[in-house]
């Protein structure tokens, strides 16, 4: 209910609490490293931060392109020799090039129509050939007629975009980087080979092994810098986020009575933060559960007890889902 909101759309809505997200974005922009990893756990605002980086950059000299690659598993080298490193170089070059063109078309329609439609047509033909190749593999083993090389089109698109719009820097923001292709080492390595085209790359990770300082130092020694997203542990921020979501719910709900946000005490807010470890998504889902119960019982409930029950429910559900899925790992 409160959490069922598109993260990109929220940036331009009354539900967005700007200051803490802008603070993280400023920290990223002021960081001198060209490769930055956002950490902090799940549900704490990493995706919103990346969307905000893109949103803030549009129309400026310093722009950032948000993207996410498919987390569903394709075949690996061991499973099918056809999907080898050469193929995945081709595949991710093609995918990234399309994503860059989508960004241009979304924000700069005239520039796209005048200077990029020819490239889009070429890439569409290559995509069609690639899809045909993949679909025909079920019938016979074969090779593609032509493989793209890394940066073959993507670097051309970036250079042309910088020139056409007089842009000084272009950054790439990749959400859920360590989920790509079901946590594939090969996919992460190939994508990391594309980083040098950009002035800065920001990725998010859910790899819990990075809580270990030794593992974190190994990544830092490869030129990466870490930025921790932690505003989910700030009580004032959480109060404002929940207040805005509840106000929006009250305004658009068809319930006879609106939920009185003032009945949530500071202790309840702090307990939410402590129990969820700053996971904003879990907090919002917990509040939604309490509001549903409050409506059902017409306000006649023990609020602290109900929040305790709701938060435990959400945490237990989250743990079950986590245990059923393959855990992400950063292989940089």
């Amino acid at each position: 209910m409160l959490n069922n909101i598109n993260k990109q759309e929220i940036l331009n809505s009354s539900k967005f609490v700007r200051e803490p997200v802008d603070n993280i974005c400023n920290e990223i922009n002021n960081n001198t490293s060209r490769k930055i990893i956002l950490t902090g756990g799940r549900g704490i605002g990493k995706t919103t931060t990346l969307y905000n980086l893109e949103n803030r950059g549009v129309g400026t000299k310093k722009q950032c392109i948000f993207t996410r690659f498919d987390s569903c598993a394709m075949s690996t080298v061991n499973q099918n020799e056809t999907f080898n490193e050469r193929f995945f170089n081709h595949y991710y070059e093609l995918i990234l090039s399309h994503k860059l063109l989508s960004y241009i078309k979304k924000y700069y329609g005239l520039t796209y129509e005048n200077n990029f439609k020819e490239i889009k047509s070429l890439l569409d033909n290559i995509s069609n050939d690639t899809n045909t190749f993949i679909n025909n593999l079920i019938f016979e083993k074969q090779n593609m007629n032509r493989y793209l090389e890394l940066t073959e089109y993507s670097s051309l698109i970036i250079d042309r975009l910088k020139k056409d719009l007089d842009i000084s820097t272009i950054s790439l923001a990749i959400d859920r980087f360590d989920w790509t292709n079901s946590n594939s080492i090969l996919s992460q390595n190939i994508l990391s080979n594309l980083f040098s085209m950009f002035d800065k790359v920001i990725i998010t990770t859910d790899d819990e092994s990075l809580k270990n300082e030794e593992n974190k130092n190994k990544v830092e020694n490869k030129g990466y810098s870490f930025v921790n997203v932690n505003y989910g542990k700030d009580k004032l921020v959480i109060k404002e986020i929940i207040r805005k979501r509840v106000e929006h719910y009250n305004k658009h709900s068809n319930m006879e009575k609106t939920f009185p946000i003032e009945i949530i005490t500071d202790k309840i807010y702090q307990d939410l933060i402590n129990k969820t470890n700053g996971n904003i998504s879990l907090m919002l889902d917990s509040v939604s559960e309490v509001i549903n119960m409050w409506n059902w019982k017409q306000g006649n409930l023990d609020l602290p007890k109900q929040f305790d029950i709701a938060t435990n429910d959400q945490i237990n559900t989250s743990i079950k889902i986590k245990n059923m899925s393959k855990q992400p790992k950063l292989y940089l």
Side-chain angles (χ1 to χ4, degrees), residues 54-315:
E54 177 178 282
N55 196 53
R56 287 178 15 148
V58 175
T60 73
K61 294 281 189 179
K62 298 181 179 182
Q63 304 203 16
C64 182
I65 300 172
F66 172 96
T67 194
R68 179 189 293 142
F69 294 93
D70 200 339
S71 61
C72 295
M74 293 182 66
S75 179
T76 65
V77 176
N78 291 332
Q79 292 171 327
N80 190 325
E81 62 183 17
T82 304
F83 291 129
N84 52 23
E85 184 172 355
R86 187 184 184 194
F87 171 81
F88 277 109
N89 281 335
H90 164 90
Y91 174 78
Y92 284 115
E93 168 61 16
L94 185 59
I95 294 297
L96 178 61
S97 296
H98 275 300
K99 289 178 180 292
L100 295 173
L101 291 175
S102 294
Y103 173 86
I104 299 168
K105 185 176 182 179
K106 178 180 179 180
Y107 294 113
Y108 306 105
L110 291 176
T111 300
Y112 173 82
E113 291 292 329
N114 290 330
N115 299 326
F116 291 93
K117 285 190 72 174
E118 181 181 351
I119 297 178
K120 178 64 163 59
S121 180
L122 288 170
L123 290 174
D124 283 343
N125 289 333
I126 297 171
S127 295
N128 290 334
D129 290 342
T130 303
N131 289 333
T132 299
F133 162 76
I134 293 173
N135 291 333
N136 287 341
L137 281 176
I138 62 175
F139 302 110
E140 61 180 341
K141 182 179 177 179
Q142 57 183 320
N143 291 311
M144 288 180 55
N145 294 325
R146 179 177 183 273
Y147 289 87
L148 294 179
E149 300 293 334
L150 282 181
T151 76
E152 184 174 337
Y153 280 96
S154 53
S155 61
L156 172 65
I157 295 169
I158 292 169
D159 290 343
R160 184 177 295 185
L161 179 61
K162 282 185 171 181
K163 181 179 179 182
D164 290 346
L165 296 180
D166 192 25
I167 298 171
S168 58
T169 66
I170 294 180
S171 300
L172 180 67
I174 307 178
D175 195 28
R176 294 167 65 89
F177 179 80
D178 47 1
W179 291 82
T180 303
N181 192 15
S182 189
N183 192 218
S184 163
I185 299 175
L186 178 61
S187 294
Q188 290 188 36
N189 287 336
I190 289 173
L191 289 175
S192 65
N193 288 332
L194 292 165
F195 289 177
S196 60
M197 287 191 299
F198 298 90
D199 297 279
K200 183 174 287 189
V201 173
I202 309 98
I203 66 174
T204 71
T205 177
D206 290 321
D207 185 353
E208 295 185 354
S209 72
L210 292 175
K211 294 177 182 178
N212 181 291
E213 284 299 319
E214 183 178 351
N215 293 335
K216 187 176 179 180
N217 289 337
K218 289 179 181 178
V219 178
E220 287 177 326
N221 289 336
K222 296 178 181 178
Y224 290 85
S225 177
F226 287 88
V227 171
N228 190 46
V229 181
N230 58 4
Y231 59 82
K233 297 180 180 180
D234 186 319
K235 186 171 67 177
L236 292 178
V237 171
I238 293 304
K239 288 179 68 173
E240 184 68 1
I241 290 174
I242 292 176
R243 181 188 69 79
K244 284 179 174 286
R245 298 294 180 97
V246 172
E247 284 183 351
H248 181 266
Y249 164 79
N250 285 337
K251 184 177 180 180
H252 296 89
S253 172
N254 58 3
M255 303 301 296
E256 292 183 4
K257 293 184 178 180
T258 59
F259 181 79
I261 184 65
E262 63 274 7
I263 67 175
I264 303 179
T265 65
D266 280 359
K267 184 178 185 307
I268 290 176
Y269 283 117
Q270 192 61 57
D271 286 344
L272 277 172
I273 293 169
N274 293 342
K275 294 187 71 172
T276 64
N277 196 31
N279 187 318
I280 300 170
S281 292
L282 287 181
M283 285 187 257
L284 291 173
D285 288 336
S286 299
V287 176
S288 295
E289 187 175 327
V290 170
I291 291 176
N292 286 334
M293 186 61 66
W294 186 88
N295 287 327
W296 183 56
K297 292 193 173 184
Q298 298 182 334
N300 184 25
L301 78 169
D302 183 335
L303 198 67
K305 180 180 179 180
Q306 195 59 52
F307 262 104
D308 191 54
I309 293 172
T311 308
N312 287 336
D313 286 344
Q314 295 302 324
I315 291 172

